[in-house]
Structure formats: structure tokens, C-alpha cells
Amino acid sequence: MSHRPFHWYRYASPQAFYPLAGRMIPWFWALAAIFGVAGLSVGFLIAPGDAQQGEGYRIIFLHVPASWMSMFLYLVMAFWAGLGLAFRFRLSSMMASALAPTGAMFAFLSLWTGALWGKPMWGAWWVWDARLTSELILLFLYLGFIALQAAIDDPRRADQAGAILALVGVVNIPIIYFSVKWWNTLHQGSSLNLARSSMATTMLYGMLLCALACWMYAIAISLMRARRIMLEREKDTLWVRKELGF
Amino acid sequence: MYWNNLSDFLAMGSHGPYVWGCFVVMAAAMILEPALLRRSRKRLLERLRRQYRAEALDGKAARESSGECP
Amino acid sequence: MILAVIARDLRLALRRRADLAAVLFFFVIVVSLFPLGVGPEPERLREIAPGVLWVAALLATLLSLPRLFADDFRDGTLEQLALAPLPLGLTVFAKVLAHWLVCGVPLAVLSPLLGLQFGLSGEALVVLSGALFIGTPALSGIGAIGAALTLGVRGGGVLVSLLILPLYTPVLIFGAGAVDAAVNGIGVEAHLSLLAALTLAGVFFAPWPAAAALRIALE
């Protein structure tokens, strides 16, 4: 595989990106902490209670960012995987593999917080509404990606197979969401609706700040995981040995 | 500040267990994930260092036994 | 050339009639387990029939997927097909059609008999069979992607299920929804046309990612 570093793609090689990522990670942790404190303060300390849902609505400050991140990370993962497949950028594929566990975690958290929100509001731990059901399928898509890559021993084949799966998944997600929505309106009507139609600005700010915090967190931890993947995969190269002091 | 006292804050208008159940699990996940990752990285580094040391010793032994000039 | 691939796959499948029979038996057994599990009340059985029959069809199709490429992979035919003048995507398309003829069509033909066990009316049985006819090509097409991705990989069968079942959900929703609508006397056209759209997309678009996955497996 060619190692010719192009002028612009200097950081496209793991060797160059590893130290760069290392320097960036602390900054993203700091940003995550700042946004997190700000968002949680707004959401839990400053924002008023809701007329219909009382204090329990505050779960949206956790549930909505988790949902957004789970969906956003899947798109980003598919993007990097696709780049890695099309141009054989090893680093892109490593980035995709690094994103998957975090995406799965956010999908799980979205389901957990969704369930704990549903119980006091609608009396059931699980409601088969369109968004939660689609979120569940998204979690399965993440787990499938992770399982497929874990089952294939050859890293290059794992990268490419995972990329195809991720791209097929991305194309399918709108289809799945639409069909689940259809199914939901057929069977239950739209009485169960976790989305909020109107929102006080304070609440909106709180949600956005928490979402930013999750985003910074996701970048920080994905970079950390990507660095670990780089060390593992490139362990026979000179730069990794030098990195470890040999 | 919206709350009048700490007990109101913790009770969350009778929804306390649900709200704090979410908060605790989410916080735990976002602490555990980096912690587990750090531990996995440490173990990987130890494994690689051991491997490099072993290879260095093998190389040294091979050179000494064949009487090569280093 | 496409016809040659289809003909060959059909001949091979007919030689292994036991495999085909096993898939159909699985379908029958799974469907028969449900009344044992939920009780024999006719009302309840009629309600759950569409879902049960469709899920059983999904699972039976999943069982038959590994054979789609594995045998050809093992004896080197797949490599030759990849090198043939016919684009690999079209070869996969042909294999998907053959797979549907051997797996999907028998399931669709058998389903009305099982539907009777659940007390479905004549009209519902027709819709059931028709929906399965329309929907099973999509199952074969999407399944081909899963089979190609996991070719020669550890834990192949279960892994394929994990990968493909989420992608099957739209087919399940519209397919079972059509039968459900027939049971409740509502119109089935919307469900069936959406199902047909999914099948067209599945059969004409799915072979290409599957072919890409096959090339990766063959490297």
C-alpha cells in the first residue's frame, strides 16, 4: 500500500495523526466538561418545571442529546468507513471502528433514558413508539457492525466488510424509520408522542449545551480509541516502536 | 436558581428516581467508557513492550551466537 | 448467461432436496410452536397470525442464506464467476432469483395451509400468500448482502442473523401489515405496493453491495 504522503493529506497516515490526536484530546475533554456543566446547570438548576410533565421532563436534557449523538455518530461512522473503502485510507477505517462502540453506547443510553421517561409519563417501561423502536434497531445496526468486525481476523477485510455494512445501514435507516412510523400510526395512533411541540428557550439552550457536551465527549473518546487501534494495528512498524521507547 | 432547597431538588417533584436514574446511568457510562479504554490501552502497551523486548533479546542472541560483527 | 447461472443453481438445489425440505420443515415447526406457547383461543391466534407467519418466514429464509454462496466459495466456482465476463452484480442477481425460486416460493405456497391453523379467512390467506410472494425476493436480496459479508467467517449463521434481521424490519412491517389489514377488512393496497417497492429496491440494488462484499471475501 502506498505511503506517499500527499502535501495536503499529511495527516492521513496513522503515524502523523497519532501525535496530533494526542494533543487534541485534552482540549475536547475540557470542552466537554465546560459544556456539560453549563448544560446540566441550565437543565437541572435553572430551567423551570413543565406545566404538563412536572419535573420528570428534565430527562430530555439527557435523552435527546443521547439520541442525536447515536444517530449523528452512525452517519459519521458510515462516512469514514466509506472513505476508507473508496480510497483505501487506513486511518479513515480506523476512525470508523473507533466510533462504533461510543455510538452503540449512546443508542443504549437513549433507550434507557427513554424508558425511564416513559414510565412516569405513560405508565409503561417500554412504549413502541416510532422513535424508540427505530433507536432500538439503530442499536442493533451498531452491534452488527461491531460483531462483524470482531469476527473477521484480517483487519483490511474487516474494514472493508464493515464499510459495506455501514453504508447499507445508512441507506436503510430512513426506510426503517419511515416504515416504523407507518406501523406505529396504524397500531397506536399518535397519542404517545415523546417529542415536544413547543419549548421554552431556556430548555432549548439546556438541550443544545448538553448535546454539545456529548459531541465533545464523543470526539475525545473516539480519538482515544482510534489511537489505541493505531497502536495495535501498526505494532510492527518503526514509528510505533519509537513511540514506546524502543 | 429554580429550586428552593436541596430536598426539593432531589425529589424532582416525585419523579426523582426516574430523573436521577437516568443521570446516574449516563454519568456512569461516560466515566466507565474512558476508564475501560485507558485500562485497555495500558494493557496493550505492556504487551507491546514485552514483545519488543523479547524481539530485541532474540536479535541480540542470534547475533552473538553467529559471531557476527554488530 | 444470467439464465445459465439460475439454471445451475436450481439444478444444484434440486440435488440437495433435503436442505430445501429442512427449511420448509423449520417454517412449519416454528409456526406450530406459537399456539403451544400462547394458547389455542381462536381470537388471539387470528390476531397474532400475520406476525407469526411472517417472522417464521424471515427466520426460515435466514437459515437458507449461508448456502447461497458458501458451496460455490468452497469449490472455487465463485472465483470463476467473479472472473467471468458477466458482471458479478448480475451473477448475484441471478443467484438471488434462484434462491427465491427455491426458498421464497415454497414458503409462499405453503403459508395458506399454516394460515388455516390460525383460523385465517380465505381472503386473508390469499393476501398472506400474495404478500409472501411479493416480499420474499426482498428477503433473498437483502440476505445475499449478509451472506456475502460473512462468507467464511467464524460464527457465520448467527452473525448473518444479527446483521440482516434489522434490515428485514420494513419488509416485516409491510408484509404482516398487509395480512393484518385483510383480517380487519381494511384495504391492503398501500401495504402491498410499499412491499413491492421494497422488493424492487431489494432485488435490483442489493446485488451490488453483495458483489462488492464477495470480492472482498475472495481477495
Side-chain angles (χ1 to χ4, degrees):
Chain A
M1 205 173 291
S2 165
H3 280 266
R4 277 194 330 258
F6 290 166
H7 179 56
W8 323 270
Y9 306 143
R10 198 153 62 91
Y11 288 110
S13 80
Q15 179 176 356
F17 190 69
Y18 182 88
L20 174 66
R23 288 195 297 272
M24 292 197 297
I25 289 173
W27 291 104
F28 283 111
W29 279 119
L31 282 171
I34 294 172
F35 283 127
V37 167
L40 290 173
S41 309
V42 170
F44 282 76
L45 296 176
I46 300 177
D50 181 61
Q52 296 157 313
Q53 294 188 21
E55 305 301 337
Y57 89 99
R58 292 182 196 276
I59 296 182
I60 52 161
F61 296 112
L62 302 170
H63 172 77
V64 170
S67 296
W68 284 352
M69 283 320 300
S70 71
M71 293 187 268
F72 179 62
L73 285 179
Y74 195 91
L75 289 174
V76 176
M77 181 180 92
F79 172 74
W80 287 124
L83 267 189
L85 181 69
F87 298 110
R88 307 283 174 111
F89 287 148
R90 286 185 331 277
L91 191 57
S92 294
S93 306
M94 293 185 203
M95 204 60 222
S97 304
L99 285 165
T102 307
M105 180 195 87
F106 276 120
F108 168 75
L109 286 176
S110 167
L111 293 172
W112 176 269
T113 52
L116 271 97
W117 191 6
K119 178 68 172 150
M121 299 304 159
W122 291 285
W125 282 114
W126 183 262
V127 289
W128 288 97
D129 84 311
R131 284 186 53 236
L132 270 187
T133 310
S134 303
E135 191 71 52
L136 181 64
I137 298 180
L138 183 63
L139 176 62
F140 294 152
L141 288 174
Y142 271 119
L143 294 177
F145 179 88
I146 295 173
L148 180 64
Q149 295 211 314
I152 300 178
D153 292 323
D154 173 29
R156 233 187 82 199
R157 182 178 168 189
D159 283 346
Q160 292 172 316
I164 293 182
L165 184 64
L167 291 170
V168 169
V170 152
V171 164
N172 269 276
I173 285 174
I175 301 177
I176 293 174
Y177 182 69
F178 169 70
S179 60
V180 171
K181 252 191 121 163
W182 168 285
W183 163 84
N184 189 243
T185 52
L186 280 184
H187 291 263
Q188 289 188 49
S190 40
S191 53
L192 294 163
N193 191 2
L194 288 176
R196 300 187 54 69
S197 44
S198 68
M199 205 178 301
T201 17
T202 335
M203 299 180 192
L204 199 57
Y205 279 138
M207 249 172 43
L208 286 173
L209 286 169
C210 285
L212 279 169
C214 287
W215 189 13
M216 298 296 113
Y217 167 89
I219 296 180
I221 201 148
S222 308
L223 287 176
M224 280 172 68
R225 196 174 287 116
R227 272 167 49 106
R228 192 202 168 284
I229 294 177
M230 278 183 240
L231 286 181
E232 172 105 56
R233 292 244 225 129
E234 308 260 301
K235 61 180 189 284
D236 295 321
T237 62
L238 209 55
W239 74 267
V240 173
R241 297 175 112 95
K242 283 227 190 83
E243 192 66 42
L244 265 66
F246 277 82
Chain B
M1 170 81 94
Y2 175 71
W3 305 98
N4 291 324
N5 54 51
L6 183 62
S7 60
D8 277 352
F9 179 61
L10 288 174
M12 282 284 166
S14 88
H15 290 145
Y18 302 103
V19 175
W20 295 117
C22 287
F23 184 84
V24 163
V25 166
M26 198 142 167
M30 289 167 87
I31 293 174
L32 268 178
E33 210 192 352
L36 287 173
L37 191 54
R38 219 165 266 151
R39 197 176 63 161
S40 150
R41 175 191 162 88
K42 221 177 69 160
R43 263 189 268 143
L44 174 68
L45 289 180
E46 280 168 23
R47 183 163 56 92
L48 288 181
R49 287 207 171 94
R50 252 181 290 141
Q51 187 188 323
Y52 294 149
R53 238 175 282 139
E55 285 168 8
L57 287 171
D58 279 344
K60 194 157 154 253
R63 278 200 304 277
E64 284 171 359
S65 67
S66 66
E68 272 178 358
C69 301
Chain C
M1 179 74 193
I2 294 185
L3 290 173
V5 176
I6 299 181
R8 178 177 168 273
D9 269 23
L10 287 179
R11 253 181 292 132
L12 287 176
L14 286 173
R15 248 180 253 164
R16 299 247 187 78
R17 263 182 292 242
D19 286 351
L20 165 62
V23 170
L24 293 180
F25 272 134
F26 178 79
F27 184 47
V28 173
I29 292 174
V30 167
V31 170
S32 309
L33 283 178
F34 276 85
L36 293 170
V38 302
E41 294 106 33
E43 259 317 297
R44 181 150 47 164
L45 287 183
R46 210 169 300 132
E47 260 180 48
I48 66 174
V52 165
L53 287 158
W54 262 97
V55 170
L58 288 188
L59 297 177
T61 311
L62 270 182
L63 266 194
S64 67
L65 279 176
R67 262 184 306 107
L68 190 53
F69 300 121
D71 295 331
D72 288 343
F73 184 60
R74 256 192 300 261
D75 65 15
T77 324
L78 202 57
E79 269 179 350
Q80 299 200 329
L81 286 172
L83 294 170
L86 188 66
L88 193 55
L90 287 179
T91 312
V92 173
F93 172 76
K95 281 179 141 313
V96 164
L97 280 185
H99 179 263
W100 174 66
L101 286 172
V102 167
C103 173
V105 168
L107 288 178
V109 166
L110 195 52
S111 58
L113 290 173
L114 297 173
L116 279 176
Q117 275 188 312
F118 282 71
L120 288 180
S121 68
E123 195 197 318
L125 290 176
V126 169
V127 172
L128 172 67
S129 192
L132 279 174
F133 260 107
I134 299 176
T136 39
L139 298 183
S140 299
I142 299 171
I145 302 179
L149 283 173
T150 55
L151 202 49
V153 170
R154 286 195 310 269
V158 179
L159 187 58
V160 172
S161 318
L162 183 56
L163 301 182
I164 293 302
L165 283 174
L167 301 177
Y168 274 173
T169 44
V171 179
L172 172 63
I173 288 174
F174 294 126
V179 186
D180 205 54
V183 168
N184 292 324
I186 323 170
V188 302
E189 296 82 21
H191 296 268
L192 289 179
S193 37
L194 285 167
L195 190 61
L198 283 178
T199 288
L200 287 173
V203 168
F204 287 109
F205 287 125
W208 305 100
L214 284 180
R215 288 201 190 280
I216 296 172
L218 287 171
E219 268 170 27

